[in-house]
Amino acid sequence: MKKHFRLVFFISFLVLLISCVSVSKQKKADIDIAFKTSNAVNAPFIGHGVQWSAYPHADSQNAEWGFLMTDEKWQELYKRLDFVNPHIIRVMDVATWRYYKGLDANNQPILDFNNQEMKSLYKLLDYCQKRNITVLFGEWGAPGLWNLDKSIPEIERADDERWIEMITKYLNHLIIEKGYTCIQYYNLVNEPNGYWASTDGNWDEWKAGYQKLHQALIKKGLDKYVQLSGPDAVTQWDHPKHPKKANDWVFSTINELDASTGLYDFHIYADQDLIRTGNFISYLKPFTTEIEKTKKPLVLGELGMKYSGDLKEENFKKGENDPFAGADDSSMFVYDYFYGVDMADAAIQSMLAGVGGAVAWDLDDAMHTVGDLGEKNQLKKWGMWNILSEEFGDLAIDKTPRPWSYSWTLLCNLFPPKAIIYQPEYTTVNDQIRSVISVDNDSFSAAVVNRSKLSKTVRLKTELLSQVKKLYVYEYSEGHRPVNKEGFPVVSRTLKTNSKEEIVVDVKENSVVFLSTILIK
């Protein structure tokens, strides 16, 4: 009897043990995320990129800092950008920085395309042309915006025929004569709804100039190469002296200027609450819903983080304590890990909302100063690095790529242009886990961001995995983000898929995990 009881007990214990082992092998997920083929985003995807300017304070002997942008500096930038792999680059300039030399006795523009400043711009465009990168080109404003002596006649308005003619001659030189067909879109005035713009928020002036430029491009035959992008407004700021709200700059461009527009773009500088709560998607949706009707792409022409509350105060104090930063216009958290999570989260949410790409502001601290007056202690610190850190900067933290360049490099590399973007379905309603998938003919990529304070196990389920045998895993977490000798991302590990068309991945607290068939070398 005792032997029988012991045998039954042993068998029961063995069954229980086997059961426990079986369960442990099937790791329970905290959340299941399903991607159905019917949930494709109905919007063109261009890919992510960066803002890159041709170093106006260091581009020639006549520049404020002298000719610091040597061939060696450019080659280092080329090498780094090859790792970042941007698919769209926004290049904004000022006519007086490059080709415009003032007005003659008849108040007509004097243009010069043969100077060192132009050659420095060619360095940038050479890179984009060789790598087949889409360029969103433009000028910050009418030339007279920088005219401090108002007694001197100058071109002040966006609808001035002389500026329109200047722009078309400039584009003809760059695209037709120099062969920079990478210039596919043109911005007329940066953030024209702002008081800081040459238009000072005047919609009617900007609209008239936009339409004139469109007609001029057609007349010159340049419309075959370059299209207008607008409105380029910053949607979080309403001009106090003009009735048109910031959001209406976008909607009016759609409704009144669609025939003149090839690409829609506007700017976002988000605070932490908009991004970390997941509310960025609902913020963007009214815009993307209307733009989808045009079947034209939308990009965030500038995307950055501007923190509020205590973080805003901390950011300003950090700027004041930095001998090279302009505290009024710097994001000092580019040195901090969490900035890379915020920027990745913002880009992922934009994709889910139907945005076709985001241009990160910006690539390099050395590009701009506050007011662009060239003061070395007033750098606009937003960059992935400072290429002139040897001249003015902290070599320990400014010369090498900063943390947020890691996550942005992965976004650029793993989500290629023309890919189809898919929205998720969650088994549990939450505001802490977000995910996106992209698929094209050659690749599959997914990103999962975890904004919670706990590590999460996530199960991705999709038939889009049916042909995928192996995925490379890239991880942006505070304690683990492996890099190559140049400081850029490399594979963390590999995962094999299974016949169930699902993959389970652990995502650490406040981190982003990327899974892709694309191997970054």
Side-chain angles (χ1 to χ4, degrees):
M1 186 68 179
K2 289 182 179 180
K3 289 183 180 180
H4 177 71
F5 175 80
R6 288 173 181 168
L7 182 60
V8 171
F9 176 82
F10 176 76
I11 293 173
S12 300
F13 176 80
L14 188 61
V15 170
L16 179 62
L17 181 62
I18 293 171
S19 176
C20 290
V21 171
S22 178
V23 170
S24 69
K25 287 182 178 179
Q26 297 175 356
K27 190 171 185 179
K28 183 180 179 181
D30 295 302
I31 185 169
D32 285 359
I33 306 176
F35 288 90
K36 300 179 180 177
T37 54
S38 57
N39 285 350
V41 173
N42 185 29
F45 187 68
I46 288 179
H48 301 299
V50 294
Q51 179 100 12
W52 191 18
S53 297
Y55 302 90
H57 306 309
D59 58 1
S60 71
Q61 294 292 352
N62 298 323
E64 291 90 349
W65 304 338
F67 199 6
L68 298 182
M69 287 305 298
T70 61
D71 287 344
E72 290 76 17
K73 296 289 188 187
W74 283 105
Q75 289 303 318
E76 176 63 23
L77 284 166
Y78 294 168
K79 184 168 64 173
R80 293 186 181 195
L81 277 161
D82 279 347
F83 286 114
V84 178
N85 192 24
H87 297 295
I88 180 169
I89 288 179
R90 183 171 182 254
V91 182
M92 296 295 284
D93 222 339
V94 177
T96 51
W97 291 349
R98 303 292 160 199
Y99 67 99
Y100 170 64
K101 304 304 175 183
L103 300 173
D104 64 16
N106 297 317
N107 285 332
Q108 294 303 305
I110 303 169
L111 309 184
D112 175 18
F113 298 132
N114 185 24
N115 55 61
Q116 182 55 54
E117 290 83 2
M118 288 296 298
K119 292 176 182 177
S120 291
L121 174 65
Y122 300 155
K123 290 278 191 181
L124 188 158
L125 294 176
D126 284 341
Y127 179 86
C128 296
Q129 184 69 24
K130 185 176 180 180
R131 270 72 171 182
N132 196 31
I133 298 171
T134 296
V135 172
L136 171 55
F137 196 71
E139 294 184 24
W140 291 109
L145 178 63
W146 285 264
N147 178 24
L148 300 179
D149 186 353
K150 296 304 179 183
S151 66
I152 300 175
E154 190 48 277
I155 298 173
E156 307 279 357
R157 293 178 59 89
D159 56 359
D160 191 314
E161 298 279 1
R162 294 172 297 177
W163 192 31
I164 302 302
E165 181 69 10
M166 284 169 53
I167 292 170
T168 55
K169 287 182 178 179
Y170 192 31
L171 290 174
N172 185 78
H173 170 73
L174 292 172
I175 298 172
I176 306 302
E177 295 176 11
K178 298 294 294 184
Y180 293 124
T181 54
C182 56
I183 300 175
Q184 296 184 27
Y185 301 105
Y186 188 88
N187 269 156
L188 180 72
V189 183
N190 175 71
E191 297 177 355
N193 63 315
Y195 70 83
W196 52 88
S198 63
T199 47
D200 191 16
N202 188 328
W203 164 262
D204 292 331
E205 176 191 332
W206 180 80
K207 175 183 176 182
Y210 196 79
Q211 290 175 313
K212 286 182 179 181
L213 182 54
H214 178 236
Q215 291 302 314
L217 292 175
I218 294 173
K219 184 178 179 180
K220 302 281 188 179
L222 289 167
D223 60 309
K224 300 180 182 66
Y225 304 95
V226 62
Q227 298 176 291
L228 294 187
S229 176
D232 204 60
V234 56
T235 58
Q236 300 145 297
W237 191 87
D238 292 323
H239 199 298
K241 296 181 181 178
H242 291 284
K244 187 179 286 292
K245 301 297 184 184
N247 290 359
D248 289 332
W249 274 74
V250 180
F251 297 125
S252 292
T253 302
I254 299 167
N255 295 327
E256 301 174 31
L257 296 171
D258 183 59
S260 302
T261 303
L263 173 73
Y264 287 98
D265 86 286
F266 54 85
H267 298 183
I268 296 287
Y269 286 90
D271 69 13
Q272 66 274 19
D273 291 336
L274 181 62
I275 302 304
R276 296 174 185 178
T277 58
N279 288 328
F280 195 36
I281 298 172
S282 58
Y283 175 89
L284 292 169
K285 262 300 183 181
F287 302 115
T288 58
T289 299
E290 288 302 306
I291 292 172
E292 278 179 13
K293 297 174 184 177
T294 71
K295 301 188 184 303
K296 294 175 182 176
L298 161 68
V299 297
L300 301 182
E302 290 182 16
L303 175 65
M305 296 295 301
K306 279 192 175 180
Y307 295 90
S308 59
D310 292 342
L311 286 176
K312 180 179 180 179
E313 294 180 13
E314 183 183 346
N315 181 71
F316 185 77
K317 289 178 182 177
K318 285 187 173 187
E320 284 189 315
N321 292 329
D322 188 311
F324 299 104
D328 290 326
D329 194 353
S330 289
S331 191
M332 301 304 296
F333 294 124
V334 293
Y335 293 104
D336 292 277
Y337 162 78
F338 69 79
Y339 195 86
V341 181
D342 288 335
M343 286 291 284
D345 193 359
I348 289 166
Q349 289 185 58
S350 75
M351 295 163 71
L352 295 173
V355 176
V359 178
W361 177 271
D362 57 13
L363 181 69
D364 194 335
D365 293 350
M367 299 189 310
H368 294 290
T369 60
V370 176
D372 271 320
L373 301 176
E375 298 176 70
K376 294 180 181 179
N377 65 341
Q378 292 292 304
L379 298 184
K380 288 190 176 186
K381 286 204 165 189
W382 294 83
M384 292 183 175
W385 52 72
N386 176 0
I387 200 65
L388 297 178
S389 58
E390 290 179 327
E391 287 75 14
F392 38 92
D394 184 332
L395 287 178
I397 57 175
D398 288 330
K399 189 173 184 178
T400 55
R402 294 170 184 153
W404 79 274
S405 68
Y406 194 103
S407 58
W408 203 259
T409 293
L410 291 171
L411 285 162
C412 291
N413 276 274
L414 305 182
F415 295 93
K418 299 182 180 180
I420 300 173
I421 307 300
Y422 291 90
Q423 297 170 323
E425 293 182 4
Y426 303 96
T427 54
T428 304
V429 176
N430 77 98
D431 61 358
Q432 298 178 329
I433 305 292
R434 281 173 286 283
S435 186
V436 68
I437 277 178
S438 81
V439 177
D440 68 4
N441 294 330
D442 302 314
S443 68
F444 170 99
S445 293
V448 184
V449 58
N450 175 15
R451 300 314 303 250
S452 75
K453 296 179 180 179
L454 298 172
S455 179
K456 300 288 184 180
T457 300
V458 177
R459 179 182 288 108
L460 300 177
K461 305 175 70 173
T462 176
E463 60 191 271
L464 298 167
L465 277 168
S466 61
Q467 301 301 314
V468 176
K469 304 301 181 185
K470 179 175 68 174
L471 289 169
Y472 299 105
V473 181
Y474 304 87
E475 183 179 348
Y476 182 75
S477 66
E478 192 153 21
H480 185 71
R481 45 185 192 274
V483 297
N484 60 19
K485 64 179 182 179
E486 305 293 339
F488 289 95
V490 294
V491 171
S492 177
R493 62 187 185 280
T494 60
L495 286 176
K496 291 184 178 180
T497 60
N498 56 42
S499 58
K500 295 181 179 179
E501 298 180 351
E502 64 181 42
I503 195 79
V504 178
V505 61
D506 291 323
V507 188
K508 295 174 184 174
E509 65 277 9
N510 196 36
S511 74
V512 192
V513 167
F514 299 83
L515 307 110
S516 181
T517 55
I518 298 172
L519 175 62
I520 300 176
K521 298 180 180 179

PDB file of all heavy atoms in Angstrom, residues 35-49:
ATOM      1  N   PHE A  35      -0.177  42.349 -36.265  1.00  0.00           N
ATOM      2  CA  PHE A  35      -0.108  43.198 -37.454  1.00  0.00           C
ATOM      3  C   PHE A  35      -0.788  42.461 -38.604  1.00  0.00           C
ATOM      4  O   PHE A  35      -0.293  41.440 -39.071  1.00  0.00           O
ATOM      5  CB  PHE A  35       1.340  43.516 -37.826  1.00  0.00           C
ATOM      6  CG  PHE A  35       2.015  44.484 -36.890  1.00  0.00           C
ATOM      7  CD1 PHE A  35       2.698  44.022 -35.777  1.00  0.00           C
ATOM      8  CD2 PHE A  35       1.959  45.843 -37.122  1.00  0.00           C
ATOM      9  CE1 PHE A  35       3.331  44.907 -34.913  1.00  0.00           C
ATOM     10  CE2 PHE A  35       2.579  46.734 -36.267  1.00  0.00           C
ATOM     11  CZ  PHE A  35       3.258  46.268 -35.159  1.00  0.00           C
ATOM     12  N   LYS A  36      -1.915  42.981 -39.039  1.00  0.00           N
ATOM     13  CA  LYS A  36      -2.654  42.375 -40.146  1.00  0.00           C
ATOM     14  C   LYS A  36      -2.339  43.111 -41.443  1.00  0.00           C
ATOM     15  O   LYS A  36      -2.113  44.324 -41.446  1.00  0.00           O
ATOM     16  CB  LYS A  36      -4.148  42.440 -39.856  1.00  0.00           C
ATOM     17  CG  LYS A  36      -4.577  41.704 -38.592  1.00  0.00           C
ATOM     18  CD  LYS A  36      -6.070  41.847 -38.358  1.00  0.00           C
ATOM     19  CE  LYS A  36      -6.494  41.113 -37.080  1.00  0.00           C
ATOM     20  NZ  LYS A  36      -7.943  41.293 -36.802  1.00  0.00           N
ATOM     21  N   THR A  37      -2.364  42.370 -42.536  1.00  0.00           N
ATOM     22  CA  THR A  37      -2.074  42.994 -43.826  1.00  0.00           C
ATOM     23  C   THR A  37      -3.114  44.054 -44.179  1.00  0.00           C
ATOM     24  O   THR A  37      -2.829  44.971 -44.959  1.00  0.00           O
ATOM     25  CB  THR A  37      -2.036  41.932 -44.943  1.00  0.00           C
ATOM     26  OG1 THR A  37      -3.269  41.182 -44.918  1.00  0.00           O
ATOM     27  CG2 THR A  37      -0.867  40.986 -44.735  1.00  0.00           C
ATOM     28  N   SER A  38      -4.282  43.962 -43.600  1.00  0.00           N
ATOM     29  CA  SER A  38      -5.330  44.949 -43.853  1.00  0.00           C
ATOM     30  C   SER A  38      -5.076  46.271 -43.126  1.00  0.00           C
ATOM     31  O   SER A  38      -5.762  47.259 -43.373  1.00  0.00           O
ATOM     32  CB  SER A  38      -6.692  44.398 -43.424  1.00  0.00           C
ATOM     33  OG  SER A  38      -6.679  44.032 -42.054  1.00  0.00           O
ATOM     34  N   ASN A  39      -4.079  46.290 -42.233  1.00  0.00           N
ATOM     35  CA  ASN A  39      -3.796  47.496 -41.447  1.00  0.00           C
ATOM     36  C   ASN A  39      -2.617  48.295 -41.993  1.00  0.00           C
ATOM     37  O   ASN A  39      -1.902  48.960 -41.244  1.00  0.00           O
ATOM     38  CB  ASN A  39      -3.519  47.122 -39.985  1.00  0.00           C
ATOM     39  CG  ASN A  39      -4.789  46.751 -39.243  1.00  0.00           C
ATOM     40  OD1 ASN A  39      -5.884  46.936 -39.749  1.00  0.00           O
ATOM     41  ND2 ASN A  39      -4.634  46.228 -38.051  1.00  0.00           N
ATOM     42  N   ALA A  40      -2.433  48.234 -43.303  1.00  0.00           N
ATOM     43  CA  ALA A  40      -1.369  49.027 -43.923  1.00  0.00           C
ATOM     44  C   ALA A  40      -1.735  50.500 -43.898  1.00  0.00           C
ATOM     45  O   ALA A  40      -2.894  50.879 -44.081  1.00  0.00           O
ATOM     46  CB  ALA A  40      -1.127  48.565 -45.353  1.00  0.00           C
ATOM     47  N   VAL A  41      -0.733  51.349 -43.670  1.00  0.00           N
ATOM     48  CA  VAL A  41      -0.939  52.791 -43.685  1.00  0.00           C
ATOM     49  C   VAL A  41      -1.067  53.256 -45.130  1.00  0.00           C
ATOM     50  O   VAL A  41      -0.217  52.933 -45.972  1.00  0.00           O
ATOM     51  CB  VAL A  41       0.228  53.513 -42.988  1.00  0.00           C
ATOM     52  CG1 VAL A  41       0.107  55.025 -43.136  1.00  0.00           C
ATOM     53  CG2 VAL A  41       0.282  53.126 -41.517  1.00  0.00           C
ATOM     54  N   ASN A  42      -2.098  54.018 -45.404  1.00  0.00           N
ATOM     55  CA  ASN A  42      -2.375  54.452 -46.774  1.00  0.00           C
ATOM     56  C   ASN A  42      -1.705  55.794 -47.049  1.00  0.00           C
ATOM     57  O   ASN A  42      -2.365  56.819 -47.250  1.00  0.00           O
ATOM     58  CB  ASN A  42      -3.888  54.560 -46.983  1.00  0.00           C
ATOM     59  CG  ASN A  42      -4.239  54.895 -48.416  1.00  0.00           C
ATOM     60  OD1 ASN A  42      -3.511  54.548 -49.344  1.00  0.00           O
ATOM     61  ND2 ASN A  42      -5.350  55.601 -48.603  1.00  0.00           N
ATOM     62  N   ALA A  43      -0.383  55.794 -47.047  1.00  0.00           N
ATOM     63  CA  ALA A  43       0.364  57.030 -47.291  1.00  0.00           C
ATOM     64  C   ALA A  43       1.752  56.683 -47.792  1.00  0.00           C
ATOM     65  O   ALA A  43       2.350  55.697 -47.346  1.00  0.00           O
ATOM     66  CB  ALA A  43       0.459  57.856 -46.008  1.00  0.00           C
ATOM     67  N   PRO A  44       2.310  57.488 -48.724  1.00  0.00           N
ATOM     68  CA  PRO A  44       3.669  57.216 -49.227  1.00  0.00           C
ATOM     69  C   PRO A  44       4.707  57.389 -48.128  1.00  0.00           C
ATOM     70  O   PRO A  44       4.629  58.329 -47.336  1.00  0.00           O
ATOM     71  CB  PRO A  44       3.860  58.272 -50.326  1.00  0.00           C
ATOM     72  CG  PRO A  44       2.506  58.821 -50.605  1.00  0.00           C
ATOM     73  CD  PRO A  44       1.701  58.667 -49.360  1.00  0.00           C
ATOM     74  N   PHE A  45       5.679  56.486 -48.091  1.00  0.00           N
ATOM     75  CA  PHE A  45       6.737  56.561 -47.095  1.00  0.00           C
ATOM     76  C   PHE A  45       8.050  56.926 -47.785  1.00  0.00           C
ATOM     77  O   PHE A  45       8.503  56.235 -48.692  1.00  0.00           O
ATOM     78  CB  PHE A  45       6.884  55.240 -46.350  1.00  0.00           C
ATOM     79  CG  PHE A  45       7.850  55.304 -45.192  1.00  0.00           C
ATOM     80  CD1 PHE A  45       7.561  56.045 -44.071  1.00  0.00           C
ATOM     81  CD2 PHE A  45       9.067  54.629 -45.248  1.00  0.00           C
ATOM     82  CE1 PHE A  45       8.455  56.128 -43.003  1.00  0.00           C
ATOM     83  CE2 PHE A  45       9.968  54.692 -44.199  1.00  0.00           C
ATOM     84  CZ  PHE A  45       9.659  55.444 -43.067  1.00  0.00           C
ATOM     85  N   ILE A  46       8.665  58.038 -47.356  1.00  0.00           N
ATOM     86  CA  ILE A  46       9.914  58.536 -47.927  1.00  0.00           C
ATOM     87  C   ILE A  46      11.120  58.034 -47.145  1.00  0.00           C
ATOM     88  O   ILE A  46      12.186  57.782 -47.705  1.00  0.00           O
ATOM     89  CB  ILE A  46       9.902  60.079 -47.973  1.00  0.00           C
ATOM     90  CG1 ILE A  46       8.931  60.562 -49.051  1.00  0.00           C
ATOM     91  CG2 ILE A  46      11.287  60.644 -48.222  1.00  0.00           C
ATOM     92  CD1 ILE A  46       8.822  62.074 -49.151  1.00  0.00           C
ATOM     93  N   GLY A  47      10.948  57.888 -45.839  1.00  0.00           N
ATOM     94  CA  GLY A  47      12.045  57.504 -44.965  1.00  0.00           C
ATOM     95  C   GLY A  47      12.461  58.673 -44.087  1.00  0.00           C
ATOM     96  O   GLY A  47      12.052  59.817 -44.300  1.00  0.00           O
ATOM     97  N   HIS A  48      13.282  58.378 -43.092  1.00  0.00           N
ATOM     98  CA  HIS A  48      13.701  59.398 -42.135  1.00  0.00           C
ATOM     99  C   HIS A  48      15.047  59.994 -42.530  1.00  0.00           C
ATOM    100  O   HIS A  48      15.825  59.385 -43.267  1.00  0.00           O
ATOM    101  CB  HIS A  48      13.785  58.791 -40.738  1.00  0.00           C
ATOM    102  CG  HIS A  48      12.499  58.204 -40.266  1.00  0.00           C
ATOM    103  ND1 HIS A  48      11.360  58.954 -40.103  1.00  0.00           N
ATOM    104  CD2 HIS A  48      12.143  56.922 -39.944  1.00  0.00           C
ATOM    105  CE1 HIS A  48      10.372  58.183 -39.682  1.00  0.00           C
ATOM    106  NE2 HIS A  48      10.826  56.944 -39.589  1.00  0.00           N
ATOM    107  N   GLY A  49      15.320  61.192 -42.005  1.00  0.00           N
ATOM    108  CA  GLY A  49      16.570  61.852 -42.351  1.00  0.00           C
ATOM    109  C   GLY A  49      16.955  62.918 -41.347  1.00  0.00           C
ATOM    110  O   GLY A  49      16.526  62.893 -40.198  1.00  0.00           O
TER     111      GLY A  49
END
